[in-house]
Amino acid sequence: MSRARVLVMNSALGPLDYRVPHGMVVEPGSVVVAPLGPRQLLGIVWEPERMPSDAEVGDNRLRNLMGVLPVPPLADPLRRLIEWTADYYLAPPAAVARMALASTSALEGAKLVTEYRATGEVPPRLTPQREQALERIGIHQGLIRELATIGGVSDAVVRGLVKAGAFEAVEVDIDAPFPLPDPAHGVPALSADQRAAAAALVRDVEAEAFQPTLLDGVTGSGKTEVYFEAIAAAIRAGKQSLVLLPEIALTEPFLKRFAARFGCAPVAWHSGLRQSQRRRAWRQIAEGQALVTVGARSSLFLPYRDLGLIVVDEAHETSFKQEEGVHYHARDVAVMRGKFEGCPVILASATPAIETRQQVANGRYAELKLPGRWGAAEMPAIQPIDLIAEPPERGRWIAPRLVTAIEETLERKEQVLLFLNRRGYAPLTLCRTCGHRFQCPNCTSWMVEHRLTRRLACHHCGHVEPIPRACPECGAENTLVPVGPGVERIADEVKLLFPEAKVAVVTSDTIWSPAKAAEFVARMEAHDIDIIVGTQLVTKGYHFPNLTLVGVIDADLGLEGGDLRASERTFQQIMQVAGRAGRGAKPGHVYLQTHSPNAAVMRALVTGDADAFYAAETESRREAGAPPFGRFAAIVVSSEDLNAAQDTAKAIGRAAPEIEAMHVYGPAPAPLAMLRGRHRFRLLVHARRALDVQDVIRDWLGRLDWPSKVRVVVDVDPYSFL
Ligand code: ADP
Ligand code: ZN
């Protein structure tokens, strides 16, 4: 009698045991169909010793597995990754495993279609149409419809040729193989620094062993060119590579550069794929045919057959942290996948996170540096504009010195980027008569006016309303005034100042798909845009040689809220956006509008002394026992019922274990005290590094119960403190 332990795809259940019926063969990693009550569930066969079950069922009570799906079993390194992720982030293993089975259609295995191709036989007495079809179709193979199009004839003509024996049917897999990238296609001439870094990375790939490396190069130093050489080495070895990007918007420019280097596009994986594209990518990745995948964080859990390299580009980006479902950090999970796969992991960044720098300092990660920009390009000079000493005109947001700089840049026919990390027209709308402010009905947040769409929108839950004519509180008409600037308001100001200039607002409201991003890049390249007014969406990845001026409208914005990474994030964001200036032959200039030019982060940006800034930040983290020297975990309790949420949060707080190496703050109402109609309370756990805080929390929460209308979410290593 053979039994199997199965991780069923239901997060509420633990692993279950089944009988493997006679004639069925399973092994760890096999994807199976298992009965549960009257239903059928997908599941993955697991080693019983690695996934204990608390409900041991006797042999005679086991139900039979119903089938094994025709896909390769999930390999050992992926199963270890799923276990580690579930364990570290306190998530149900099924919720993690589901990310690996990301295409249900692919799990059904190969699907065949009938295509046709020429047999070489030419039937006697050809009609002119048949003759034309034969000639034009030549050696092409395809569906009847496709061949008819190529031949410029009707489907019936092609069918006639099939009957006459000129074409024959062939059964092919609908998931066509991807073109193979060619490492010898567009080999660049590397600078000496680039060559040295590339050689080290190539050696790591050839060693086929786990080795994390920080590729630390200033913006425009050619980090992409350098890690492309490591990818080339992996391709030559017949191994797969994965490149993680922080945002889909960056995919498009990446695909172009990749094609220029390797002669064809890589396989893209992101949430915008159609079902047929997902299916094809998943199957070819699992079969090892897809050699290079570029994707968002979810591509980390795909079933690569033979991974030889992982690259995390813009590795400092906090958008690698997933904030819903399984709260994982893709950068950290990428390193773990490299460890289980036994392959190098490259973290590329111009502004590496303190956590990553610390791993270099303690010798766990190697470091490669690219200290200068490629070619003739120089790093831009950064100058502060003190908004108190040099204020903009009343009701305006751009200081006179920046206005002059824009004017001069436009005269030289160069392009400008104005950066403000605020979507919409104004962050707050209020009634001039009674002071009424517009708040989201579902969240503790102000409604943001969007003039382009003529609506008020909540940026937390997506709630929108029309902008009313009259104040809902006092009824006065036309008394609503916008307070503060968003990108749309800056764009209006720019249009007023430079009526001739072509202005584009670039935010997630205007660039919401890879196609939109491609359109934006094409417009920049055709110089169909003079001035970009954009959010963080334009701060990274893009390379526009004619963009020479960057103006930061409100450099202080990121310091608001003041969580532990606020200064670091401000530094990174402004260095990145400054890095868009002067990437070609023409020098770049950057102006920072700030109310606090003497803040440490502003001084570091202006003097370019990143090392001193990081040293001071690192020291203050060390003193506070903050990450990476200590650890945080947030416990967020939410419910539509305020009292239920509060009571549960208090009960969790009361049950907190007394441990010397750990301190629990709260519960307190979260800064976003209401989100999507749910009241929220937070507890913050602060622990010494050495403490296995996950174990403590698992134990602590495991002893408690709460009503089903209350949700308790644990965020390990939180990045958001809202
Ligand atoms: P980073 O990612 O470090 O900001 P990129 O890889 O985007 O820098 O490189 C900046 C620009 O310089 C790109 O247009 C890139 O094609 C070009 N470049 C860098 N190195 C080389 C090289 N060795 N040969 C040709 N072009 C290069
Ligand atoms: Zn809302």
Side-chain angles (χ1 to χ4, degrees):
M1 140 94 209
S2 107
R3 51 194 289 161
R5 179 142 307 163
V6 177
L7 174 60
V8 286
M9 294 300 106
N10 178 330
S11 303
L13 297 174
L16 301 174
D17 287 351
Y18 289 91
R19 179 187 295 120
V20 182
H22 190 70
M24 183 187 285
V25 181
V26 299
E27 59 181 294
S30 292
V31 183
V32 294
V33 181
L36 186 79
R39 292 178 302 142
Q40 303 179 2
L41 286 181
L42 278 182
I44 301 166
V45 175
W46 223 270
E47 299 92 321
E49 65 279 11
R50 303 198 63 105
M51 193 142 316
S53 157
D54 25 62
E56 286 290 342
V57 177
D59 282 357
N60 55 345
R61 292 182 44 226
L62 290 181
R63 295 180 71 180
N64 276 342
L65 282 177
M66 302 170 83
V68 187
L69 296 181
V71 291
L74 299 192
D76 191 84
L78 178 53
R79 295 202 309 282
R80 301 295 82 85
L81 185 79
I82 291 169
E83 289 166 359
W84 181 86
T85 306
D87 209 51
Y88 188 90
Y89 293 105
L90 294 164
V96 182
R98 205 175 295 139
M99 298 193 278
L101 306 182
S103 163
T104 29
S105 167
L107 299 177
E108 291 161 10
K111 279 199 188 121
L112 298 179
V113 284
T114 308
E115 292 189 342
Y116 294 85
R117 65 175 176 212
T119 54
E121 251 168 66
V122 179
R125 289 190 308 281
L126 284 176
T127 63
Q129 277 203 317
R130 285 190 172 189
E131 196 171 334
Q132 170 189 325
L134 270 183
E135 196 178 297
R136 293 202 188 160
I137 292 167
I139 58 160
H140 285 286
Q141 173 178 321
L143 306 173
I144 298 266
R145 182 173 15 92
E146 290 166 352
L147 295 186
T149 309
I150 297 170
V153 295
S154 69
D155 291 7
V157 174
V158 179
R159 276 202 208 92
L161 281 164
V162 173
K163 269 220 184 88
F167 289 125
E168 63 183 354
V170 263
E171 297 285 298
V172 297
D173 195 322
I174 57 165
D175 301 313
F178 290 99
L180 292 180
D182 173 9
H185 179 80
V187 182
L190 298 181
S191 71
D193 283 338
Q194 290 178 335
R195 213 161 37 234
L201 296 175
V202 167
R203 271 197 302 278
D204 288 345
V205 171
E206 288 170 349
E208 302 189 1
F210 174 55
Q211 172 61 61
T213 299
L214 169 61
L215 177 59
D216 178 359
V218 299
T219 52
S221 56
K223 293 185 288 297
T224 317
E225 306 296 334
V226 168
Y227 73 65
F228 273 177
E229 295 316 295
I231 294 176
I235 296 170
R236 280 193 291 266
K239 294 202 149 227
Q240 292 172 295
S241 306
L242 164 64
V243 180
L244 286 178
L245 298 178
E247 266 159 41
I248 309 186
L250 295 178
T251 311
E252 200 58 35
F254 181 89
L255 297 183
K256 270 175 130 179
R257 287 185 67 174
F258 188 92
R261 173 64 184 84
F262 294 104
C264 65
V267 180
W269 182 271
H270 53 74
S271 56
L273 294 186
R274 288 194 306 272
Q275 196 214 351
S276 58
Q277 295 171 313
R278 286 175 92 72
R279 168 192 161 88
R280 178 181 176 207
W282 196 96
R283 286 194 62 225
Q284 302 296 7
I285 284 169
E287 272 154 31
Q289 191 277 326
L291 282 187
V292 183
T293 303
V294 56
R297 52 190 178 221
S298 60
S299 54
L300 258 179
F301 293 95
L302 293 175
Y304 304 94
R305 196 180 131 153
D306 189 10
L307 206 50
L309 173 67
I310 302 172
V311 178
V312 185
D313 205 349
E314 312 286 1
H316 60 278
E317 275 292 321
T318 48
S319 55
F320 280 122
K321 177 72 195 313
Q322 163 107 359
E323 296 287 359
E324 47 199 44
V326 182
H327 285 52
Y328 66 97
H329 197 306
R331 176 198 62 205
D332 298 343
V333 177
V335 171
M336 290 313 291
R337 178 132 202 191
K339 187 167 171 179
F340 294 128
E341 298 280 350
C343 77
V345 181
I346 301 172
L347 306 182
S349 174
T351 51
I354 288 176
E355 283 82 354
T356 307
R357 290 169 184 267
Q358 201 50 33
Q359 296 282 29
V360 172
N362 63 29
R364 287 204 196 92
Y365 295 4
E367 184 181 36
L368 295 168
K369 286 200 173 196
L370 298 173
R373 281 193 159 174
W374 183 76
E378 293 287 331
M379 291 301 282
I382 302 184
Q383 297 171 50
I385 294 179
D386 180 344
L387 287 172
I388 296 170
E390 303 176 61
E393 281 177 39
R394 249 184 89 80
R396 300 269 174 95
W397 313 98
I398 307 176
R401 196 141 53 96
L402 181 52
V403 173
T404 309
I406 297 172
E407 197 174 326
E408 290 168 0
T409 308
L410 295 179
E411 272 166 19
R412 288 196 304 270
K413 303 268 181 284
E414 293 164 10
Q415 292 161 304
V416 177
L417 164 60
L418 299 178
F419 168 63
L420 176 64
N421 207 18
R422 255 200 205 135
R423 292 157 51 208
Y425 187 84
L428 173 66
T429 302
L430 58 76
C431 169
R432 204 182 318 122
T433 309
C434 73
H436 174 79
R437 299 168 164 210
F438 287 81
Q439 193 180 340
C440 174
N442 313 319
C443 308
T444 316
S445 100
W446 304 125
M447 297 292 284
V448 176
E449 181 180 350
H450 285 246
R451 287 219 173 153
L452 293 177
T453 52
R454 303 220 191 120
R455 288 204 206 150
L456 295 169
C458 169
H459 288 175
H460 291 289
C461 72
H463 173 81
V464 289
E465 324 181 331
I467 303 171
R469 272 173 65 81
C471 171
E473 186 127 351
C474 70
E477 292 207 1
N478 299 320
T479 58
L480 302 183
V481 285
V483 181
V487 281
E488 293 176 7
R489 195 168 197 181
I490 300 299
D492 275 4
E493 182 172 337
V494 167
K495 285 177 201 155
L496 214 65
L497 290 164
F498 308 102
E500 307 287 298
K502 286 167 279 184
V503 181
V505 172
V506 179
T507 70
S508 54
D509 298 304
T510 58
I511 309 262
W512 35 265
S513 70
K516 286 278 171 194
E519 192 184 312
F520 161 61
V521 171
R523 285 185 62 203
M524 273 303 279
E525 285 170 353
H527 205 149
D528 189 30
I529 297 172
D530 296 308
I531 304 175
I532 306 170
V533 185
T535 56
Q536 52 81 27
L537 203 68
V538 277
T539 55
K540 53 199 165 264
Y542 292 110
H543 179 75
F544 301 124
N546 197 42
L547 197 165
T548 57
L549 175 66
V550 167
V552 179
I553 300 297
D554 184 351
D556 311 332
L557 196 57
L559 296 173
E560 275 173 17
D563 71 71
L564 84 117
R565 296 186 180 86
S567 291
E568 183 191 19
R569 224 172 16 232
T570 298
F571 182 84
Q572 290 168 330
Q573 197 162 58
I574 295 179
M575 279 306 275
Q576 290 291 338
V577 68
R580 297 315 105 200
R583 293 170 70 93
K586 302 165 197 159
H589 300 275
V590 179
Y591 291 89
L592 298 187
Q593 299 196 145
T594 171
H595 284 96
S596 40
N598 290 320
V601 50
M602 300 305 157
R603 282 211 308 272
L605 286 162
V606 170
T607 59
D609 194 352
D611 290 347
F613 170 74
Y614 273 108
E617 279 289 303
T618 306
E619 216 25 63
S620 72
R621 294 245 197 124
R622 194 194 305 273
E623 272 162 27
F629 304 101
R631 313 198 37 206
F632 284 122
I635 303 175
V636 177
V637 182
S638 68
S639 175
E640 287 178 13
D641 178 342
L642 172 68
N643 289 329
Q646 185 162 26
D647 292 347
T648 304
K650 280 187 184 157
I652 291 176
R654 277 194 303 271
E658 297 275 340
I659 297 180
E660 211 228 277
M662 181 178 109
H663 189 83
V664 181
Y665 298 90
L672 255 172
M674 183 143 130
L675 179 64
R676 295 189 190 97
R678 301 177 72 89
H679 299 275
R680 302 167 76 241
F681 291 83
R682 263 177 135 261
L683 296 102
L684 189 64
V685 181
H686 184 194
R688 295 229 187 99
R689 230 199 127 66
L691 181 71
D692 187 340
V693 72
Q694 285 92 340
D695 240 19
V696 172
I697 296 176
R698 217 184 330 262
D699 209 57
W700 166 13
L701 297 184
R703 280 185 277 111
L704 299 175
D705 268 321
W706 46 81
S708 59
K709 60 187 167 185
V710 176
R711 198 183 300 151
V712 177
V713 171
V714 183
D715 187 358
V716 177
D717 303 342
Y719 274 66
S720 158
F721 289 82
L722 295 176

